[in-house]
């Protein structure tokens, strides 16, 4: 295929995956027979641990949607998840060998197809894995695609991503994805709760993002988030907080072209840098 995945965050190792199995759009069939009993056991252990940590830390939107993912004892079959997901919001999941390039990624999202890595982490990676595996993608991302507002937001993001690719603005848009869909927080129950997949699939970051005094938590503003750098192999140093899910869809429906032009004239912001006058959201 010749086109390597783009990773804007910093990491000490490249993403892995067997891309020889992928079709032109980078999708591949889920080779369900290839999963070992150890693979299924790893998925079950991860699911049990994460689901036990959700109360008081995860968004109620996510907690309510999680049962729709299906049985937790074994790695789900994509076609079985799709039967429920398509009926709920018109989305489906498709297998991919790992991280994929931007334009194919955006194209899939624009078609309401969510790419899910079909391999699972090794036992020695149980606590932490840099690149997304099937547990991160399924447990972290898919439940909220049963939510109509998030389902529409992710599609709108994909459509916007195709436009950003034409304008050479993918890196700026990737930061919005990172700080919302992957590592977003939402105001709930008199505090903040996690809705981002990167948080929800991480035992350590779930608690850290909601309760630790160390990171900065700021109200989500498009320009601020799209200027802010991030790393992919540590807990986040800054989180952006939305008031409700509808706020995401409202943001995604804006015309980003003028904003990209404006952002090109401004410096990036460090991952834990505060700007003058910014007020942190308390926990």
């Amino acid at each position: 295929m010749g086109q390597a995945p783009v990773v804007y965050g910093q990491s000490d190792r490249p993403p892995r995956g067997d891309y020889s199995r992928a079709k032109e759009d980078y999708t591949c069939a889920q080779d369900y027979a290839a999963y070992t009993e150890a693979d299924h056991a790893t998925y079950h252990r991860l699911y049990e641990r994460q689901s036990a940590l959700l109360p008081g830390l995860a968004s109620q939107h996510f907690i309510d949607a999680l049962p729709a993912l299906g049985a937790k004892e074994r790695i789900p079959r994509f076609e079985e998840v799709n039967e429920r997901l398509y009926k709920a919001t018109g989305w489906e999941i498709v297998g991919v060998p790992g991280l994929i390039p931007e334009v194919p990624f955006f194209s899939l999202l624009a078609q309401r197809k969510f790419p899910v890595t079909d391999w699972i982490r090794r036992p020695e990676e149980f606590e932490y894995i840099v690149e997304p595996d099937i547990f991160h993608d399924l447990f972290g991302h898919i439940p909220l695609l049963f939510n109509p507002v998030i389902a529409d937001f992710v599609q709108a993001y994909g459509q916007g991503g195709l436009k950003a690719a034409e304008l050479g603005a993918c890196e700026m848009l990737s930061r919005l994805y990172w700080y919302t869909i992957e590592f977003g927080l939402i105001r709930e129950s008199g505090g903040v709760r996690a809705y981002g997949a990167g948080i929800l699939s991480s035992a350590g970051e779930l608690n850290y993002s909601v309760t630790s005094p160390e990171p900065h938590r700021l109200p989500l503003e498009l320009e601020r988030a799209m200027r802010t750098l991030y790393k992919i192999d540590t807990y986040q140093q800054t989180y952006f907080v939305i008031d409700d899910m509808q706020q995401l869809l409202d943001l995604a429906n804006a015309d980003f072209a003028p904003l990209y032009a404006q952002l090109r004239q401004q410096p990036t912001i460090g991952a834990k840098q505060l700007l003058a006058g910014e007020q942190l959201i308390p926990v």
Side-chain angles (χ1 to χ4, degrees), residues 24-231:
E24 287 301 312
D25 63 355
Y26 284 87
T27 64
C28 62
Q30 183 188 27
D31 187 1
Y32 199 82
Y35 299 130
T36 66
E37 286 305 312
D39 291 335
H40 290 296
T42 295
Y43 181 87
H44 186 209
R45 287 173 59 212
L46 286 165
Y47 192 111
E48 289 279 78
R49 180 179 68 171
Q50 287 305 115
S51 58
L53 296 174
L54 297 177
L57 298 174
S59 168
Q60 193 62 43
H61 293 285
F62 180 85
I63 293 173
D64 291 344
L66 183 60
L69 194 58
K72 59 189 177 183
E73 290 77 19
R74 300 177 70 79
I75 296 170
R77 294 180 183 272
F78 291 175
E79 61 266 27
E80 293 178 0
V81 176
N82 282 339
E83 289 180 8
R84 298 184 292 274
L85 182 58
Y86 192 83
K87 289 178 182 177
T89 58
W91 272 83
E92 60 182 312
I93 57 178
V94 291
V96 290
L99 292 171
I100 65 175
E102 293 163 326
V103 171
F105 177 69
F106 296 146
S107 296
L108 290 172
L109 297 187
Q111 300 170 64
R112 295 177 92 90
K113 296 180 180 181
F114 197 92
V116 173
T117 302
D118 69 343
W119 51 261
I120 195 164
R121 68 193 71 184
R122 296 183 288 265
E124 61 269 24
E125 298 172 305
F126 186 83
E127 293 297 334
Y128 179 75
I129 185 170
V130 173
E131 59 270 80
D133 69 343
I134 193 172
F135 178 75
H136 164 83
D137 284 343
L138 280 179
F139 185 95
H141 283 288
I142 303 308
L144 280 179
L145 285 179
F146 284 87
N147 179 300
V149 175
I150 292 295
D152 287 348
F153 168 66
V154 178
Q155 182 183 29
Y157 180 88
Q159 294 166 338
L162 293 173
K163 297 176 184 176
E166 296 175 356
L167 297 170
C170 287
E171 183 169 4
M172 288 180 278
L173 191 64
S174 77
R175 296 177 192 143
L176 178 62
Y177 187 89
W178 186 264
Y179 282 119
T180 56
I181 294 300
E182 288 291 356
F183 290 94
L185 299 177
I186 185 172
R187 294 181 190 267
E188 276 186 22
S189 305
V192 298
R193 298 290 186 268
Y195 71 91
I199 303 174
L200 294 166
S201 60
S202 167
E205 191 151 8
L206 180 56
N207 185 67
Y208 172 87
S209 68
V210 174
T211 68
S212 173
E214 294 182 17
H216 296 156
R217 299 174 185 85
L218 296 168
L220 177 64
E221 296 178 355
L222 265 181
E223 178 183 326
R224 178 63 161 89
M226 293 169 75
R227 289 175 60 196
T228 305
L229 302 174
Y230 61 85
K231 289 193 67 175

